[in-house]
Amino acid sequence: MGSNKQGSEHEHLHQNHKHSDEDYKKLINRMSRIIGHANSVKTMMEEHRDCTEILIQISAVKAALNNLGKKILEDHINKCIVDVVGEEQLEEKKKLLEDLNDAIDKFVR
């Protein structure tokens, strides 16, 4: 993974697609919170907490991971795919991308 400096903003490249440092930091922060929450579940288990409480927390971790995955997929579609497909007829493509994101969101629920 390389970086390309443009002014004060860095971008990360993967297979010729660009992601800003700010985007990556937001995703990494979300993942850090999920890891912290998962560690809390482990602690609850070590403390022999009520199974119902543990299951509720596991459900919250699963939902957070799903939401992170949806965000990464959405960013991939909106940034990486647009870069590959090009910006010709971008307005028409935006509507198609919005519809695709909506369909994926409904499917993943």
Side-chain angles (χ1 to χ4, degrees):
M1 180 155 60
S3 67
N4 180 15
K5 187 172 184 177
Q6 294 178 344
S8 64
E9 182 175 322
H10 292 84
E11 294 178 333
H12 295 282
L13 301 174
H14 75 85
Q15 299 175 357
N16 299 323
H17 306 306
K18 297 177 184 178
H19 296 279
S20 71
D21 280 344
E22 184 178 331
D23 291 341
Y24 263 75
K25 285 178 186 176
K26 288 178 184 177
L27 295 173
I28 290 167
N29 287 338
R30 283 176 81 164
M31 189 65 221
S32 293
R33 286 191 300 273
I34 293 167
I35 290 168
H37 204 158
N39 282 330
S40 296
V41 172
K42 179 181 175 226
T43 300
M44 291 174 73
M45 294 171 69
E46 291 168 345
E47 295 171 352
H48 301 282
R49 299 271 296 271
D50 180 69
C51 293
T52 305
E53 291 178 33
I54 294 169
L55 289 169
I56 290 168
Q57 294 307 311
I58 289 171
S59 177
V61 171
K62 285 173 45 179
L65 275 172
N66 283 340
N67 288 331
L68 176 62
K70 284 193 294 188
K71 178 63 178 155
I72 291 170
L73 182 57
E74 184 180 292
D75 287 352
H76 178 65
I77 290 168
N78 291 327
K79 294 178 181 163
C80 302
I81 301 301
V82 167
D83 283 350
V84 171
V85 174
E87 295 199 16
E88 307 83 41
Q89 302 170 339
L90 188 57
E91 288 306 312
E92 293 173 27
K93 290 176 185 175
K94 281 183 181 179
K95 174 65 175 136
L96 291 172
L97 293 173
E98 286 173 12
D99 292 345
L100 177 59
N101 281 324
D102 187 47
I104 289 169
D105 185 49
K106 290 176 181 169
F107 179 76
V108 175
R109 283 187 199 165

